[in-house]
Amino acid sequence: DDLILTSEGKAYINNIPVTAPEGVKFRDINGSYLISENNELYILNYNNDICTADYVCDNIASFSENSFRSYCISTEGELLYLDDYIENDKRLCTPYPTGIMNPISTTHDFFVDENNILWEINTRKTPPVITKKAEDVVKVGFLTYDNGIVTGDVHIKSDGTAYLIGTTTEVSLYTP
C-alpha cells in the first residue's frame, strides 16, 4: 500500500483519504499505525474502499526503529509492543508495556535499554514474554561476521566483543 502523510496532518492510503476523528492531525505513520499531534495512537481499518483511523491509546511519543514488528515508545520512554488482531471484521490493537525504558539500539525483537541490558521479546505468546539476555551491551544489529561468510543478528558489548544475538557465542565481525 502507498502510505502518505501530508504536512497538514492528513493521511492517505493509495490516494484514498483516511477518515479520522474531528480535529485529529497525524504526525507519523508506520504500517497500519498513525500517531497524532496529541500523541495518540490510531490503527487503520479498511472497509469497502473506506479507510478509518481508530483510536488505540494515548501518550505515544514515536515508533521504534529497526524492528520488524510493531513497537512504539511512550511519552515516558517505555517500549510498547502493539499486538493487532481481528475481531468482528475490525482490526484492533492491544498495547503491551514491556518495562524496557529508552531503547538505545534495536533489531527485530531485541532491544538494548538505557542501562545497556539486552532484552528479547517473544511475541508468539500473549501477553508477550520479555527475557533478559545480556548485560553491558552497547549495540545490536544485522551485521556480517566470520570473514564475511555469515550475516545475522549480533550484540556488541562495551569492550567491542560481538556475540550471536542473545547468546554467549562469540563471533568476529567482518571489516572488508
Side-chain angles (χ1 to χ4, degrees):
D1 290 332
D2 186 23
L3 306 171
I4 297 173
L5 186 61
T6 69
S7 59
E8 293 85 27
K10 296 181 189 262
Y12 293 85
I13 299 199
N14 298 327
N15 294 321
I16 298 170
V18 174
T19 303
E22 180 84 27
V24 171
K25 293 182 180 182
F26 299 108
R27 63 176 171 79
D28 203 357
I29 189 169
N30 184 11
S32 297
Y33 295 101
L34 299 129
I35 299 174
S36 75
E37 290 179 346
N38 294 327
N39 298 327
E40 298 166 325
L41 181 69
Y42 289 82
I43 190 168
L44 295 172
N45 270 292
Y46 308 91
N47 190 0
N48 299 327
D49 292 331
I50 296 172
C51 186
T52 59
D54 297 318
Y55 176 84
V56 174
C57 65
D58 56 10
N59 297 321
I60 302 300
S62 65
F63 293 110
S64 176
E65 296 182 21
N66 300 324
S67 58
F68 286 150
R69 302 198 187 280
S70 301
Y71 292 97
C72 62
I73 310 292
S74 74
T75 52
E76 292 81 26
E78 183 175 12
L79 180 74
L80 302 174
Y81 168 63
L82 304 175
D83 184 17
D84 63 32
Y85 56 95
I86 306 289
E87 188 174 286
N88 298 323
D89 295 326
K90 187 172 183 177
R91 293 186 71 227
L92 301 172
C93 174
T94 301
Y96 287 101
T98 64
I100 299 169
M101 298 301 294
N102 301 310
I104 59 171
S105 188
T106 303
T107 187
H108 302 99
D109 292 324
F110 290 89
F111 299 85
V112 180
D113 71 12
E114 63 190 353
N115 296 313
N116 299 98
I117 297 173
L118 174 63
W119 300 93
E120 179 181 18
I121 301 177
N122 180 349
T123 59
R124 293 178 297 280
K125 308 268 185 183
T126 302
V129 175
I130 296 121
T131 307
K132 181 178 177 178
K133 302 302 277 186
E135 295 181 357
D136 193 35
V137 177
V138 295
K139 181 180 178 180
V140 292
F142 192 73
L143 303 171
T144 303
Y145 54 93
D146 290 348
N147 292 322
I149 298 170
V150 182
T151 301
D153 289 321
V154 300
H155 71 265
I156 302 170
K157 292 206 169 194
S158 64
D159 66 1
T161 307
Y163 301 86
L164 292 179
I165 198 155
T167 74
T168 56
T169 303
E170 193 173 330
V171 296
S172 288
L173 292 179
Y174 177 68
T175 48

